[in-house]
Amino acid sequence: MTDFIICNAKLLDVAAGELRGGASIRVEAGKVMEVAEDGRALSAGEGVTVIDAGGRTLMPGLIDAHVHAAITTMDLAAMGRRQTSWIAIETKFVLEGMLRRGFTTVRDAGGMDPGITNALDRGLVKGPRVFRSGRVISQTGGHGDSSGVSQHPQLCACDIKSSAFSHVADGVDAVRKAVREELKAGAHQIKVMAGGGVATPSDPIDMVQYTEAEIRAAVEEAQARRTYAFAHAYIPEAIERAVRAGVRSIEHGNLIDEASAKFMAQQGCYLVPTLVTYDQIAEFGKKLRFPEESLKKLDAVFGAGLGALEIAKRAGVKMGFGTDLLGETHPAQSKEFVLRAQVLPAAEIIASATLVNAELLGQAGKLGVLAPGAHADLLLVDGDPLADIGVLNGQGERIDLIARGGEIVVNRL
């Protein structure tokens, strides 16, 4: 960690959606200590580095609330054969790429083991701050069950089948046990599969998964640990069931309708759309050996994503920012900004990746904002993201400085 002052910047006020010149910021011990505007100078003590922003945009570090950094290839059959050590090394490079794109915090939406977060905490991996979900919770035949169909299944009501990615647990008691196991292992929050999905072969998109009681069991166990559960769902019936059970956010939600969006808004449930993953699967899925059965299901959700954003906005649903990319497509992470810009203003998209996601993660005032007491996660951007959100696209080429927790990890000045 380095104490430093950045001066001569244009401050992006995310809440107001405004860019204001003559700004400076002082960082000490990894936290924001002071923010000044109107050209007011900040005093620098002995040994404090002063960085001239040269009129660049100063803004909070970005937050991606739906990543799968530990899913390192779209060839899911090959993924199942990779050794844990191999996956861990690949995950390191995936996370470091995310940080270089300006994402100083991410929420793992399933698959990351505690060893990765331990390595991050010890500085062995120079990646973003991670809120880890661990294994997802899925029913038999649900969107976390990748096992084949057995001709002679050995069925036991108390059985839980576990893989590196999921616990397949049926019934309230089994769900409770699976959730408790992940929380015991240090999961920051819990993900439940509440409906059909694209990547697994045996669950149609329009399938409703888990009873309300099963989802509520996961919610209750997470709340007992002072955290929350969130749910994968596409269709209105699955969305409403999960919201009634008390989940904090719905992931994807491409097939949401006006009624389910209104219900989400009434209950204060967030939506985390993930447009870019369908864009990338459509473009590269066949070449990268994404399962053929999954490619057939893509059409059901691909074209509905932009419309879902419009429906959610009209209903007043708080929308976070997520990407859900897999394997070789992780570098497309920042394309989510330009895809959303087809229907949403830049200020709202940036807020989703900062203020809204910070609230979703229970980190309001600590992340997603440049204010005294917040973590010093910040970017200096060459350009105005409000006028051209494309400056955030790519691999961070227009981001000339990145600090995460007061540590400057990229500095092109």
Side-chain angles (χ1 to χ4, degrees), residues 351-362:
S352 73
T354 52
L355 288 175
V356 178
N357 270 355
E359 290 178 8
L360 170 58
L361 299 180

Side-chain angles (χ1 to χ4, degrees), residues 9 30 34 57 107 154 159 190 198 221 240 311 348 391:
E34 189 176 4
T57 297
R107 181 177 67 172
Q154 302 297 311
D159 186 40
I190 294 296
V198 173
E221 292 302 324
E240 291 185 22
I311 290 170
E348 291 183 18
V391 299

Side-chain angles (χ1 to χ4, degrees), residues 66-363:
H66 194 118
V67 306
H68 292 290
I71 299 181
T72 56
T73 178
M74 286 185 70
D75 184 346
L76 300 183
M79 184 76 205
R81 297 190 296 269
R82 289 188 175 178
Q83 299 95 332
T84 303
S85 55
W86 179 357
I87 294 170
I89 293 169
E90 289 182 317
T91 301
K92 171 186 185 293
F93 291 104
V94 171
L95 289 169
E96 290 176 347
M98 290 177 177
L99 184 57
R100 288 193 299 273
R101 289 187 284 274
F103 289 92
T104 52
T105 298
V106 299
R107 181 177 67 172
D108 159 55
M112 189 180 295
D113 70 46
I116 299 296
T117 46
N118 289 339
L120 283 163
D121 291 343
R122 286 160 177 74
L124 301 176
V125 178
K126 297 294 184 181
R129 181 180 291 101
V130 173
F131 290 83
R132 190 179 66 84
S133 298
R135 294 176 180 86
V136 305
I137 313 301
S138 171
Q139 70 170 56
T140 296
H143 187 54
D145 184 359
S146 58
S147 61
V149 177
S150 173
Q151 292 186 7
H152 306 288
Q154 302 297 311
L155 301 181
C156 174
C158 63
D159 186 40
I160 298 174
K161 298 190 291 270
S162 299
S163 67
F165 181 72
S166 67
H167 291 302
V168 178
D170 298 301
V172 168
D173 290 342
V175 168
R176 286 192 189 279
K177 185 172 179 61
V179 170
R180 287 172 179 173
E181 184 66 26
E182 287 310 300
L183 292 170
K184 172 186 173 183
H188 294 98
Q189 64 281 317
I190 294 296
K191 183 182 178 187
V192 178
M193 299 302 198
V198 173
T200 42
S202 61
D203 56 325
I205 292 292
D206 63 355
M207 179 182 177
V208 181
Q209 296 175 14
Y210 274 138
T211 64
E212 189 174 327
E214 288 170 312
I215 300 172
R216 186 174 291 111
V219 169
E220 289 172 353
E221 292 302 324
Q223 289 176 343
R225 282 265 184 161
R226 302 297 184 258
T227 186
Y228 65 90
F230 63 112
H232 161 109
Y234 284 107
I235 64 172
E237 186 180 353
I239 291 169
E240 291 185 22
R241 178 178 292 186
V243 174
R244 281 196 303 271
V247 300
R248 186 164 175 82
S249 71
I250 295 292
E251 310 300 297
H252 318 302
N254 295 49
L255 303 178
I256 196 170
D257 62 12
E258 302 284 352
S260 53
K262 183 178 179 181
F263 184 55
M264 285 183 67
Q266 290 170 343
Q267 299 301 312
C269 184
Y270 296 78
L271 176 67
V272 181
T274 58
L275 305 185
V276 70
T277 192
Y278 314 110
D279 171 87
Q280 293 296 290
I281 293 171
E283 185 170 356
F284 300 110
K286 190 167 186 178
K287 176 182 177 182
L288 297 174
R289 298 184 179 180
F290 197 63
E292 193 65 37
E293 297 88 347
S294 298
L295 290 172
K296 292 175 183 175
K297 294 196 285 183
L298 182 64
D299 288 343
V301 297
F302 184 27
L306 291 174
L309 297 183
E310 295 174 311
I311 290 170
K313 180 177 178 178
R314 284 196 299 269
V317 178
K318 288 187 176 182
M319 282 188 281
F321 183 101
T323 55
D324 191 33
L325 291 162
L326 309 176
E328 298 84 354
T329 65
H330 284 298
Q333 185 178 26
S334 299
K335 191 178 180 181
E336 181 76 17
F337 288 108
V338 295
L339 292 174
R340 292 192 186 199
Q342 296 173 79
V343 296
L344 295 177
E348 291 183 18
I349 302 168
I350 294 168
S352 73
T354 52
L355 288 175
V356 178
N357 270 355
E359 290 178 8
L360 170 58
L361 299 180
Q363 299 293 311

